[in-house]
């Protein structure tokens, strides 16, 4: 199902004027370099060649679900076995090579066949298009929308012969979770995370190796942390983690920075992951939060607690 037309931002000029300095100060206070060590973004940062960055990034983003201390060793082990150049590895990869690499691989929903589809699809994209960027841009030009471009991208990556893979590694199990196609109405968080890494920057966090896509086109990688904080800050009134909600949050963020709407994503997501902004607000945390002047939930929590902010 294709998503509806993006809704207009509900963020007023007054709200944007109050929120922007809070977010700017908040981002400046975030030790992004230290946080990268706890983020799947650490993997593409290991490489210098753009093609190696692309391949390692998409593999890392695709498996970046669940606890970081569980998926990071899985990604690390695969990249170590793929050698110094992940791009060269997938360009030459065949079914037998995939079997040797992925026999017995299991991570939560995914088994070796699922990951083999992704790796073989990336190899085909590099051979036929020269880069993952070129494959994505082809879909963007053809479909004319971000959702359409991502749908075309994942469909192309999954266009590999399945019968030989199933014979070598067994049936797929969580391929739709790893690489959704059709894309559907979900937020596609990990794919949009990959695109943020590729398109934004370089700024010490995102790598900015794709030059044919503008940061203004990016969609927020919406997960439970971003969804919760976005509601606190008035970026959306929606409760679900759908594509429409991601569009609404991004539209609000464009009122703050039309050219780079998702630049606050890394800091906000890690803030939520850290537990400092939990699902149930904690008065002591809210009183010290740099976002409190723009956070309706935090202000209510502090008022109900009968304490004053100590920032």
């Amino acid at each position: 199902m294709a998503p509806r037309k993006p809704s207009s931002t509900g963020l007023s000029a007054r709200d944007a004027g109050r929120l922007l300095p809070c977010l700017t100060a908040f981002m400046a206070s975030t030790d992004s370099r230290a946080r990268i060590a706890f983020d799947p973004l650490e993997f593409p940062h290991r490489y210098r060649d753009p093609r190696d960055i692309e391949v390692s990034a998409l593999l890392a983003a695709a498996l970046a679900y669940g606890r970081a201390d569980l998926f990071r060793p899985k990604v690390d082990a695969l990249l170590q076995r793929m050698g110094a150049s992940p791009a060269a590895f997938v360009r030459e990869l065949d079914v037998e090579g995939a079997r040797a690499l992925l026999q017995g691989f299991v991570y939560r929903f995914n088994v070796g066949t699922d990951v083999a589809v992704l790796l073989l699809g990336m190899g085909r994209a590099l051979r036929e298009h020269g880069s993952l960027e070129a494959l994505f841009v082809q879909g963007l030009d053809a479909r004319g929308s971000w959702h359409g471009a991502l749908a075309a991208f994942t469909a192309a990556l999954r266009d590999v012969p399945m019968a030989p893979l199933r014979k070598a590694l067994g049936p797929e199990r969580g391929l739709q979770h790893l690489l959704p196609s059709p894309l559907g109405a979900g937020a596609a968080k990990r794919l949009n995370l990959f695109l943020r890494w590729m398109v934004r920057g370089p700024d010490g966090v995102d790598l900015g190796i794709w030059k044919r896509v503008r940061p203004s086109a990016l969609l927020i990688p919406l997960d439970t942390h971003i969804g919760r904080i976005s509601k606190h800050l008035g970026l959306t009134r929606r409760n679900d983690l759908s594509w429409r909600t991601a569009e609404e949050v991004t539209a609000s963020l464009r009122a703050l920075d039309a050219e780079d709407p998702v630049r606050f994503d890394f800091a906000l997501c890690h803030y939520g992951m850290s537990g400092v902004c939990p699902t149930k607000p904690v008065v002591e945390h809210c009183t010290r939060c740099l976002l409190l002047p723009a956070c309706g939930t935090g202000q209510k929590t502090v008022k109900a607690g009968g304490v004053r902010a100590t920032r």
Side-chain angles (χ1 to χ4, degrees), residues 26-254:
F26 171 77
M27 192 165 70
S29 73
T30 303
D31 188 349
S32 297
R33 181 169 296 183
R35 294 303 306 176
I36 286 174
F38 303 95
D39 194 276
L41 187 53
E42 69 163 304
F43 296 108
H45 269 280
R46 295 177 179 179
Y47 302 96
R48 292 294 175 264
D49 184 274
R51 304 293 74 80
D52 292 329
I53 291 171
E54 286 184 326
V55 170
S56 62
L58 186 51
L59 175 63
L63 288 170
Y65 65 93
R67 285 168 42 188
D69 62 330
L70 297 180
F71 71 70
R72 286 173 58 231
K74 293 289 187 178
V75 176
D76 184 58
L78 288 176
L79 289 172
Q80 292 290 343
R81 294 183 64 190
M82 290 164 69
S85 174
F89 181 89
V90 298
R91 279 193 197 98
E92 301 298 322
L93 187 65
D94 57 15
V95 171
E96 182 56 31
R99 187 198 65 78
L101 176 70
L102 294 162
Q103 187 74 50
F105 177 92
V106 177
Y107 175 62
R108 295 193 67 188
F109 310 136
N110 292 119
V111 293
T113 305
D114 305 328
V115 179
V117 171
L118 175 61
L119 297 181
L120 289 167
M122 287 195 287
R124 178 180 175 181
L126 294 185
R127 291 192 302 271
E128 296 184 358
H129 300 276
S131 68
L132 298 185
E133 178 184 16
L135 176 61
F136 181 80
V137 170
Q138 176 180 277
L140 188 60
D141 290 343
R143 301 290 186 92
S145 72
W146 199 251
H147 190 275
L150 258 184
F153 184 68
T154 57
L157 289 172
R158 282 181 55 164
D159 187 18
V160 299
M162 292 302 299
L165 273 180
R166 290 169 181 147
K167 183 176 181 181
L169 285 165
E172 66 273 32
R173 188 172 77 185
L175 182 56
Q176 183 63 17
H177 182 267
L178 187 78
L179 197 61
S181 182
L183 194 58
K189 182 256 180 161
R190 286 169 290 123
L191 287 168
N192 279 304
L193 184 65
F194 163 72
L195 293 170
R196 194 202 85 201
W197 297 348
M198 297 298 95
V199 173
R200 287 199 69 258
D203 62 355
V205 175
D206 296 319
L207 294 138
I209 63 167
W210 285 12
K211 304 304 182 185
R212 298 167 62 188
V213 183
R214 296 179 63 86
S216 58
L218 289 167
L219 193 74
I220 193 78
L222 181 69
D223 63 6
T224 56
H225 306 296
I226 293 295
R228 179 175 71 255
I229 294 174
S230 293
K231 282 207 69 180
H232 292 342
L233 298 177
L235 299 175
T236 183
R237 295 180 180 179
R238 296 178 59 84
N239 294 315
D240 58 38
L241 299 178
S242 66
W243 189 274
R244 287 187 64 197
T245 302
E247 287 180 324
E248 189 169 294
V249 172
T250 306
S252 291
L253 291 171
R254 287 197 180 103

Side-chain angles (χ1 to χ4, degrees), residues 288-311:
R288 296 190 294 267
C289 182
L290 289 171
L291 298 174
L292 181 60
C295 179
T297 301
Q299 291 175 14
K300 291 178 183 177
T301 301
V302 170
K303 183 177 180 180
V307 299
R308 298 180 64 182
T310 58
R311 291 175 295 104

